[in-house]
Amino acid sequence: MNLETVSTNRSFGGTQGVYSHQSEATGTAMTFAVFVPEHEAGVKLPVLFYLSGLTCTHANVMEKGEYRRACAEHGIIFVCPDTSPRGDDVPDEEGYDFGKGAGFYVNATEEPWAKHYHMRRYVEEELPAAVAANFPADMDRQGITGHSMGGHGALTISLRNPGRFKSTSAFAPIVSPLNCPWGEKALTGYIGADKAAWREYDACALIEDGARLPDLLVDQGRGDNFLDEQLKTHLLEEAVRTAGMQATIRLHDGYDHSYYFISTFMADHIAWHAERLCA
Amino acid sequence: MNLETVSTNRSFGGTQGVYSHQSEATGTAMTFAVFVPEHEAGVKLPVLFYLSGLTCTHANVMEKGEYRRACAEHGIIFVCPDTSPRGDDVPDEEGYDFGKGAGFYVNATEEPWAKHYHMRRYVEEELPAAVAANFPADMDRQGITGHSMGGHGALTISLRNPGRFKSTSAFAPIVSPLNCPWGEKALTGYIGADKAAWREYDACALIEDGARLPDLLVDQGRGDNFLDEQLKTHLLEEAVRTAGMQATIRLHDGYDHSYYFISTFMADHIAWHAERLCA
């Protein structure tokens, strides 16, 4: 796999890079960002994947997420993929919540999406391989997190791949696509109307069906416009309580859905991952 | 003066706001950002002004500057003005280094710029008055910093107003507009060809002419594309050495001109200002 370096910038003693490669999963070029902290030659570092939300590219969290200080402090590589395939030949729809910028971390089976929209396979298989091959990454120490649609991605990918991620967290995740308009639109469009097929893309349903994480950290703002209709954090609270699964789900007065919220709690999440990845 | 609230977001326990007001200095609406950390009712906090560089609005540092954690920790209000007047009736030129986004913190005397381009008066007089009137700001404890063109602004405004700012710093400042293409273009255009009139807009010339700061912190990347032709940090080193003025001017291998550089050293600068503002 050939990785093209789009840009590198020195930051917090390490290197913030942007890279592009040809993806078999999506049949397109894919761009992702990687921060590699300063480290001794030959040392391999734990890796934290961050999956972004609707409308985002790799760049939003890279510019606004404020993760580099904490990653430099703890010695963690931070990887930020795009949220969908891109390009003129990739189908799209009007609206911010389907098509480009809204891949929903699924493998699409419905046309015309099935040709390119395979963000599940990209994030589960191809991206980790690219990271392992090109960066000083210890793939035995992976964590995953994400925001909103990316929180949904982090939760579902980790729940479906037990043992792969030593740590899982999320910022304001969509916890149950089966039970919100964003999820219904995306899964109907990408996967089809059979809701039985949706359960592997629903964190609450995966937990109901027996999947477990050893631990989980979730932060959610009470001032988030999307909380009641789309995010429904209480469904995740119920699922983990019913399952007896360890989880810390924190609600914060006044915080909204933006990067002003994410950046506030980013260092906490990285420290929490570091406890599980760097011990 | 009526201040319109454009937006507020809770962040790091405080409030990141964006505000707009009608400016007499520029004859336009002006937008600025203010972060107010969590604080006890009735307490007044020190204020740090951050002046941005070419092409920026108030938003660049607000999104990418990573100042909120340190401001929350030290209890400092952070104020980010725009870099020029804006609006359809404000004259502009092609090119990123003159006109909109490039006010250069001068009071223009040349036409057609003299009607609106009064960023010196705006930042020296009108913005502090707006901050004092609308936020819990202790105007006896002001600091100033900035980046590139904004570093030039911070240095020259502080040098021309002895005693107003208890602390002054800069990131990759233009230290001598008399001696670089950006400065020559801007000052010729806004002020005219008489270089004697430029000296009050040149940090090195102000120091040569007797202005002093009690102390100064400057960070500059050695990998900055603009260092040799535009920024010329060595001219400031020579000026402070000749003047016997206390200053810490640090050069950093590998760092460029971007917010990846600024954000790396932002917390250092805020801590440095805090030592002088919060003692």
Side-chain angles (χ1 to χ4, degrees):
Chain A
M1 171 188 313
N2 286 319
L3 208 61
E4 181 195 343
T5 300
V6 177
S7 65
T8 60
N9 298 84
R10 188 162 174 80
S11 196
F12 290 98
T15 301
Q16 178 62 63
V18 177
Y19 307 92
S20 177
H21 60 148
Q22 196 60 30
S23 164
E24 286 183 25
T26 67
T28 65
M30 290 294 292
T31 301
F32 62 94
V34 179
F35 177 68
V36 179
E38 197 170 19
H39 61 283
E40 288 177 32
V43 170
K44 295 214 163 190
L45 305 176
V47 184
L48 181 56
F49 292 88
Y50 176 97
L51 306 184
S52 288
L54 290 167
T55 76
C56 290
T57 68
H58 68 282
N60 301 67
V61 69
M62 180 176 77
E63 296 177 347
K64 303 180 185 177
E66 303 195 19
Y67 56 77
R68 281 175 288 271
R69 176 176 300 279
C71 284
E73 181 186 336
H74 295 290
I76 293 177
I77 293 173
F78 199 90
V79 179
C80 320
D82 202 347
T83 56
S84 77
R86 307 276 177 182
D88 292 343
D89 59 338
V90 173
D92 196 11
E93 259 193 20
E94 283 194 29
Y96 70 97
D97 56 358
F98 194 81
K100 290 181 187 174
F104 245 82
Y105 307 101
V106 303
N107 292 334
T109 54
E110 296 292 296
E111 296 303 338
W113 316 103
K115 184 175 178 192
H116 294 294
Y117 282 80
H118 294 277
M119 289 302 293
R120 171 183 175 170
R121 183 150 73 92
Y122 177 72
V123 172
E124 286 188 354
E125 299 173 22
E126 212 167 11
L127 178 65
V131 169
N134 291 283
F135 300 92
D138 179 356
M139 302 308 284
D140 290 332
R141 294 188 289 161
Q142 296 181 61
I144 192 164
T145 186
H147 172 238
S148 195
M149 175 184 75
H152 145 75
L155 293 172
T156 54
I157 289 170
S158 190
L159 283 161
R160 282 196 311 264
N161 292 277
R164 179 187 293 190
F165 299 98
K166 293 207 178 329
S167 53
T168 306
S169 78
F171 302 85
I174 301 168
V175 305
S176 183
L178 277 158
N179 290 292
C180 70
W182 280 341
E184 289 165 15
K185 178 175 178 179
L187 295 181
T188 303
Y190 292 131
I191 308 296
D194 175 12
K195 291 197 174 182
W198 296 14
R199 296 184 69 81
E200 63 183 329
Y201 295 117
D202 185 298
C204 291
L206 283 162
I207 294 169
E208 283 168 27
D209 294 347
R212 294 290 181 272
L213 299 174
D215 202 352
L216 172 64
L217 173 64
V218 172
D219 280 306
Q220 172 64 53
R222 282 201 176 93
D224 186 326
N225 286 338
F226 301 112
L227 177 55
D228 292 342
E229 190 184 3
Q230 303 281 8
L231 305 175
K232 301 188 178 178
T233 315
H234 66 96
L235 295 178
L236 182 64
E237 289 176 319
E238 289 163 22
V240 300
R241 190 168 53 239
T242 302
M245 194 182 104
Q246 185 169 315
T248 302
I249 300 174
R250 308 188 295 197
L251 293 161
H252 301 280
D253 286 342
Y255 285 91
D256 61 23
H257 201 60
S258 71
Y259 274 95
Y260 298 106
F261 155 70
I262 299 170
S263 59
T264 299
F265 297 100
M266 180 62 83
D268 276 9
H269 279 243
I270 291 169
W272 189 89
H273 285 274
E275 283 177 19
R276 287 150 183 83
L277 296 173
C278 306
Chain B
M1 172 188 314
N2 286 319
L3 207 61
E4 180 195 344
T5 300
V6 176
S7 64
T8 61
N9 297 84
R10 189 162 173 79
S11 195
F12 289 97
T15 301
Q16 179 62 63
V18 178
Y19 308 92
S20 176
H21 62 148
Q22 195 60 32
S23 163
E24 286 184 25
T26 66
T28 66
M30 290 295 291
T31 301
F32 62 94
V34 179
F35 177 68
V36 179
E38 196 169 19
H39 60 282
E40 288 178 34
V43 170
K44 295 214 163 189
L45 306 177
V47 185
L48 180 56
F49 292 88
Y50 176 97
L51 306 185
S52 287
L54 290 167
T55 77
C56 290
T57 69
H58 68 283
N60 301 66
V61 69
M62 180 176 79
E63 295 176 348
K64 303 180 184 176
E66 304 196 21
Y67 57 77
R68 282 175 288 272
R69 176 177 300 278
C71 284
E73 181 186 335
H74 294 291
I76 293 177
I77 293 173
F78 199 91
V79 180
C80 321
D82 202 347
T83 56
S84 77
R86 306 276 178 183
D88 292 342
D89 58 338
V90 173
D92 197 9
E93 259 194 17
E94 283 193 31
Y96 71 95
D97 56 358
F98 195 82
K100 290 181 187 173
F104 245 81
Y105 308 101
V106 303
N107 292 334
T109 54
E110 296 292 296
E111 296 304 338
W113 316 102
K115 183 174 180 192
H116 294 294
Y117 282 79
H118 294 278
M119 289 302 293
R120 170 182 175 169
R121 182 150 74 91
Y122 177 72
V123 172
E124 286 188 355
E125 300 173 21
E126 212 167 12
L127 178 65
V131 169
N134 292 281
F135 300 91
D138 179 356
M139 302 309 282
D140 290 331
R141 293 187 291 159
Q142 296 180 60
I144 193 164
T145 186
H147 172 238
S148 194
M149 176 184 75
H152 145 75
L155 293 173
T156 54
I157 289 170
S158 190
L159 283 162
R160 281 196 311 264
N161 291 276
R164 180 189 291 191
F165 299 97
K166 293 209 180 324
S167 53
T168 306
S169 78
F171 302 86
I174 300 169
V175 304
S176 183
L178 277 158
N179 291 293
C180 71
W182 281 341
E184 288 165 16
K185 179 175 177 178
L187 295 181
T188 303
Y190 292 132
I191 307 298
D194 176 12
K195 291 196 174 183
W198 296 14
R199 295 184 71 82
E200 62 184 328
Y201 295 117
D202 185 297
C204 291
L206 283 163
I207 293 169
E208 284 169 27
D209 294 347
R212 295 290 181 271
L213 300 174
D215 201 353
L216 171 63
L217 173 64
V218 172
D219 280 307
Q220 172 65 52
R222 284 201 175 93
D224 186 325
N225 286 337
F226 301 113
L227 176 54
D228 292 341
E229 190 184 2
Q230 303 282 7
L231 305 175
K232 300 187 178 180
T233 315
H234 67 94
L235 295 177
L236 182 64
E237 291 176 317
E238 289 163 22
V240 300
R241 190 169 53 238
T242 302
M245 194 182 105
Q246 185 168 317
T248 303
I249 300 174
R250 306 188 295 196
L251 292 161
H252 302 279
D253 286 341
Y255 285 91
D256 61 22
H257 202 60
S258 71
Y259 274 95
Y260 298 105
F261 155 69
I262 300 170
S263 59
T264 299
F265 297 100
M266 180 62 85
D268 276 8
H269 279 242
I270 291 168
W272 190 89
H273 285 273
E275 284 178 19
R276 287 150 183 84
L277 297 173
C278 306

